[in-house]
Amino acid sequence: MSKIQEEIKNRILVLDGAMGTMLQRYKFEEEDFRGERFKDFPHPLKGNNDLLSLTQPEAVKEVHRLYFQAGADIVETNTFSGTTIGMADYHMEDLVYELNFQSAKIAREVADEFTDKPRFVAGSIGPTNRTASMSPDVNDPGFRAVTFDDLKVAYRQQVEALIDGGCDLLLVETIFDTLNAKAALFAIEEVKEERNLDIPVMVSGTITDASGRTLSGQTVEAFLISISHIPLLSVGFNCALGADQLKPYLKELAHNTQLNISAHPNAGLPNAFGQYDQTPEEMQELIREYLQENLINIIGGCCGTTPDHIKLIAQVAKEFKPRTVEVVA
């Protein structure tokens, strides 16, 4: 049994908040993204946050450190777009292994600075910017921009680099198309088998609107069933919704699974300018409701959340025991 599997039995684990929200505070410009190494790169690089692990590693380290200091037990690597499919937008497919390896190494180094309690590094595996089960062309519903095999190959490279860099667990997150996630999980299982390795895996889907479905049309229960053949540390939801909007779907999840449950909601819904206005105090009270209703084992924040949010979430998490599942004989 891994250390995190032991810890999750004893307490509610706290995940970090948004990496992107924090990196935006640095107001990095094109030359900052490029650094010395990519100063002559022939394509624009501004906005490629994963690249900052190579060109601005101290900033990425500082974000991890602030989240750990706020009370996070788990930080996510700066690799949300770290596949060849995601990096194709920046013509940087050749850098994928290095980006993931260095991002994991950076997070591992910061985690090891903290010795007060076990700290963990989760390899962040995003959904890519393509969907395997829907056509991007309304005039050609049979067309697919990516295949299952394309995704599997891309995810496999990311997974190997994250493991090599020192991750304790893998987080397949922000899932809007379960077929994409299944490709990631297939790649993970392949690597685990080949390496004779049992690295814990978290899965976190995204409910995209008030219909209570993922973008590819699955309900909470359908999403759960379609990934239930994989051994998982936890299943949960993140992004798209704030803590209050997410709560009914977490209740449905809790009712239907004996797995650990995770949640990392946004800081409310975005305003007209795309900003997130929910204060740490407001979010803490909403998270308290999750805990009072015995819904979760892992709690953190997604878009708009900062170390201030995580600090108050960590404080309230200490007051409660982790979700337990009553096994009916």
Side-chain angles (χ1 to χ4, degrees), residues 20-46:
T21 299
M22 294 300 289
L23 290 175
Q24 284 171 12
R25 294 183 170 188
Y26 291 89
K27 296 185 166 51
F28 288 136
E29 296 297 335
E30 181 71 32
E31 59 269 24
D32 301 307
F33 279 88
R34 289 175 174 271
E36 187 61 29
R37 178 173 168 185
F38 301 104
K39 69 177 193 294
D40 298 322
F41 196 75
H43 303 283
L45 296 176
K46 187 177 179 182

Side-chain angles (χ1 to χ4, degrees), residues 68-116:
F68 275 136
Q69 287 170 349
D73 299 291
I74 309 166
V75 298
E76 299 174 53
T77 55
N78 180 37
T79 54
F80 186 79
S81 302
T83 57
T84 48
I85 293 167
M87 283 298 127
D89 288 353
Y90 297 98
H91 306 270
M92 287 194 144
E93 298 95 321
D94 293 347
L95 283 171
V96 164
Y97 183 90
E98 184 184 359
L99 282 172
N100 284 279
F101 180 84
Q102 289 299 333
S103 294
K105 189 165 170 260
I106 284 169
R108 172 86 273 142
E109 286 171 3
V110 179
D112 291 344
E113 292 174 10
F114 293 83
T115 56
D116 56 332

Side-chain angles (χ1 to χ4, degrees), residues 74-271:
I74 309 166
V75 298
E76 299 174 53
T77 55
N78 180 37
T79 54
F80 186 79
S81 302
T83 57
T84 48
I85 293 167
M87 283 298 127
D89 288 353
Y90 297 98
H91 306 270
M92 287 194 144
E93 298 95 321
D94 293 347
L95 283 171
V96 164
Y97 183 90
E98 184 184 359
L99 282 172
N100 284 279
F101 180 84
Q102 289 299 333
S103 294
K105 189 165 170 260
I106 284 169
R108 172 86 273 142
E109 286 171 3
V110 179
D112 291 344
E113 292 174 10
F114 293 83
T115 56
D116 56 332
K117 61 178 177 176
R119 309 285 185 141
F120 303 99
V121 174
S124 171
I125 300 172
T128 82
N129 50 10
R130 298 186 198 169
T131 171
S133 63
M134 295 183 291
S135 172
D137 183 355
V138 291
N139 298 312
D140 186 1
F143 174 72
R144 296 291 182 271
V146 70
T147 68
F148 184 91
D149 285 342
D150 292 337
L151 287 162
K152 189 197 81 165
V153 170
Y155 281 128
R156 183 188 170 102
Q157 186 181 17
Q158 182 176 32
V159 166
E160 289 185 321
L162 289 170
I163 292 172
D164 291 346
C167 287
D168 300 292
L169 63 151
L170 299 170
L171 170 55
V172 182
E173 64 170 314
T174 323
I175 299 162
F176 57 81
D177 184 343
T178 307
L179 195 56
N180 288 37
K182 286 172 87 96
L185 293 168
F186 192 91
I188 291 168
E189 290 304 305
E190 265 192 356
V191 174
K192 281 168 64 176
E193 188 174 343
E194 286 177 18
R195 296 188 177 205
N196 193 24
L197 184 72
D198 189 22
I199 187 166
V201 179
M202 295 173 63
V203 163
S204 184
T206 294
I207 300 294
T208 51
D209 56 35
S211 71
R213 294 173 181 264
T214 64
L215 188 65
S216 55
Q218 284 188 311
T219 60
V220 170
E221 196 172 359
F223 169 70
L224 180 62
I225 289 167
S226 65
I227 57 166
S228 61
H229 61 294
I230 299 286
L232 297 173
L233 174 71
S234 67
V235 63
F237 291 114
N238 74 290
C239 205
L241 302 173
D244 47 348
Q245 295 91 0
L246 196 59
K247 184 180 171 186
Y249 309 118
L250 290 171
K251 289 179 80 167
E252 191 175 345
L253 201 57
H255 181 69
N256 284 290
T257 186
Q258 294 187 0
L259 288 168
N260 296 308
I261 290 179
S262 73
H264 49 297
N266 293 345
L269 294 175
N271 62 25

